[in-house]
Amino acid sequence: MMKSKLISFSILSLLLATSCGGKTETKEDTADEKKPLVKVETVDFRPVVQEGHYTATVEPELINNISAASPNRIKQILVDEGIRVSKGQKLVVMDDVNTTSYELQVANAKANLENVQLNYDRAVELLKIGGGTQQNVDQMQLQLTNAKNALASAERSLRNVQENTVLVSPIDGIVTARNYDPGDMTGALPIVTVAQVQPVKIVINVSESELSKVKKGMPADVTFDTYGDELFNGTITMVAPTVDADSRTFGVEITMKNPEGRILPGMFGRVQLNLGEAEHVVVADRAVVKQPGSGNHYVYVLNSDGTVSYNKVELGQRLGNTYELLSGVEPGSKVVVSGQSKLANGMAVDVAK
């Protein structure tokens, strides 16, 4: 019985040893099989349209601040913010309490002129019949001139008062501000502000590296959040000749026609400029790996020894299902487009045929 047990134990030990030996061989085989399988694509330079994207706020082409020439009480304000007005339209009526006194000055100046004119005419007639002197005529001539000047001055003062009694718009536009109410005394602020919105302008800031590509007369595409994807056209009308020392950018002014008045001052706009073409490497978007917790992006590049390198890249524009790369991958490289989740820098891989 004891002998039988010994034989059974020996057989079991032999089986276990054989089994362990088999597992060791399988592990070596498995190590080779666990090399990650990836798909790669060869990338190269491609001509890529360079687009500049900017944000800006709509500004009026011209602004007029409507104020009285001298402090006065406001009698009526005939418009409010957002109202469209025409050139010459009445906007504000001021208190005309001072008008009467200026009218009286004009009346007195006219009466004085008539009296001086009469005396002058008499002096001339007396001189003709020998009853007067040339000196007297000359003195009356001087008085006549002074009287005419006094009347002109009084009439000019009256016109100024009248013009500042009824204030009109000097342009076609839209009222963008109203700072007082009827009954208020005028102060430092304009009573109302009228802005010309045909055309309008947008000022964007362009970097030094882009400045050489931006020219006066270039077209610009503009969209507004208010109107969704609707495209509006503008033209570059001014490029600032000096750089802003703080932002290191140049101001560029874009003028836009606005015949229907849909574009209003203060609207937020997005501007796109075509800055020409450049040769850059383009990769499939599925090749780009974003590092968690950061804004960095990477691409796995296949090396000649069958390993992969984890290359940090600088993304340019998204072009459909591809990305423009500004740096990080050389043309002619083979980049991994499938299987990145199992990869690490320097790891050997198998490439799917």
Side-chain angles (χ1 to χ4, degrees):
M1 184 69 176
M2 187 67 176
K3 188 175 181 180
S4 265
K5 288 182 179 180
L6 287 172
I7 292 170
S8 298
F9 180 76
S10 298
I11 293 171
L12 181 59
S13 298
L14 181 60
L15 290 171
L16 288 171
T18 303
S19 175
C20 289
K23 284 183 178 179
T24 302
E25 291 175 5
T26 303
K27 183 179 286 187
E28 291 175 359
D29 295 338
T30 305
D32 292 334
E33 293 173 0
K34 283 189 174 179
K35 192 186 294 185
L37 183 66
V38 299
K39 290 182 180 180
V40 298
E41 289 182 358
T42 302
V43 298
D44 211 335
F45 278 140
R46 274 176 46 187
V48 179
V49 175
Q50 300 300 293
E51 295 177 348
H53 296 272
Y54 317 89
T55 57
T57 303
V58 176
E59 300 177 10
E61 178 70 10
L62 182 67
I63 295 178
N64 280 109
N65 293 314
I66 311 301
S67 300
S70 58
N72 198 355
R73 190 173 301 280
I74 300 169
K75 191 173 184 180
Q76 288 180 290
I77 300 180
L78 306 175
V79 294
D80 209 339
E81 288 186 20
I83 299 297
R84 297 184 184 278
V85 296
S86 302
K87 182 177 180 179
Q89 179 177 336
K90 292 181 181 180
L91 305 179
V92 182
V93 178
M94 306 297 295
D95 194 335
D96 60 355
V97 65
N98 294 324
T99 304
T100 302
S101 63
Y102 283 96
E103 290 174 340
L104 182 59
Q105 290 177 23
V106 170
N108 290 337
K110 284 182 177 180
N112 181 59
L113 176 59
E114 290 174 358
N115 184 56
V116 172
Q117 182 70 56
L118 182 61
N119 291 334
Y120 172 77
D121 293 341
R122 287 174 179 170
V124 170
E125 290 298 324
L126 285 173
L127 181 63
K128 288 179 180 180
I129 62 175
T133 66
Q134 183 63 46
Q135 182 180 6
N136 188 43
V137 171
D138 292 341
Q139 289 175 345
M140 295 305 302
Q141 175 70 52
L142 180 60
Q143 292 181 25
L144 181 62
T145 300
N146 291 337
K148 289 179 179 179
N149 290 339
L151 176 59
S153 178
E155 290 176 335
R156 185 165 54 251
S157 296
L158 177 60
R159 284 196 302 272
N160 288 338
V161 170
Q162 290 172 335
E163 288 174 359
N164 283 278
T165 299
V166 179
L167 308 182
V168 300
S169 176
I171 58 173
D172 294 333
I174 187 170
V175 178
T176 59
R178 169 178 160 168
N179 297 309
Y180 299 94
D181 291 317
D184 290 343
M185 285 292 295
T186 56
L189 294 175
I191 302 172
V192 295
T193 299
V194 178
Q196 180 181 323
V197 293
Q198 169 53 303
V200 293
K201 64 183 179 181
I202 294 178
V203 178
I204 61 175
N205 295 316
V206 173
S207 67
E208 291 182 82
S209 62
E210 296 172 327
L211 181 63
S212 61
K213 305 171 186 176
V214 176
K215 306 293 182 184
K216 186 176 179 180
M218 279 179 56
D221 294 332
V222 187
T223 58
F224 299 97
D225 290 356
T226 305
Y227 299 120
D229 295 330
E230 185 176 354
L231 199 63
F232 295 81
N233 300 317
T235 304
I236 293 178
T237 50
M238 188 276 293
V239 179
T242 57
V243 65
D244 184 280
D246 296 326
S247 64
R248 309 305 304 175
T249 59
F250 290 79
V252 174
E253 185 175 297
I254 297 168
T255 299
M256 302 178 61
K257 294 180 180 179
N258 190 26
E260 298 177 2
R262 297 174 63 204
I263 306 170
L264 300 176
M267 280 186 174
F268 181 78
R270 304 176 191 275
V271 179
Q272 179 178 307
L273 298 180
N274 185 330
L275 303 178
E277 288 189 349
E279 295 279 333
H280 284 146
V281 170
V282 175
V283 301
D285 55 3
R286 61 184 184 278
V288 179
V289 178
K290 183 177 180 181
Q291 187 180 56
S294 76
N296 297 330
H297 295 84
Y298 293 83
V299 168
Y300 282 103
V301 177
L302 181 66
N303 301 316
S304 57
D305 62 358
T307 62
V308 291
S309 297
Y310 195 45
N311 290 15
K312 185 179 178 180
V313 295
E314 182 183 357
L315 299 183
Q317 303 172 69
R318 186 180 182 96
L319 310 168
N321 60 353
T322 63
Y323 274 110
E324 171 192 24
L325 297 187
L326 304 181
S327 64
V329 176
E330 295 298 320
S333 300
K334 294 181 178 180
V335 301
V336 178
V337 296
S338 177
Q340 297 98 317
S341 61
K342 299 178 181 179
L343 301 185
N345 190 40
M347 181 180 288
V349 295
D350 280 334
V351 179
K353 303 298 182 182

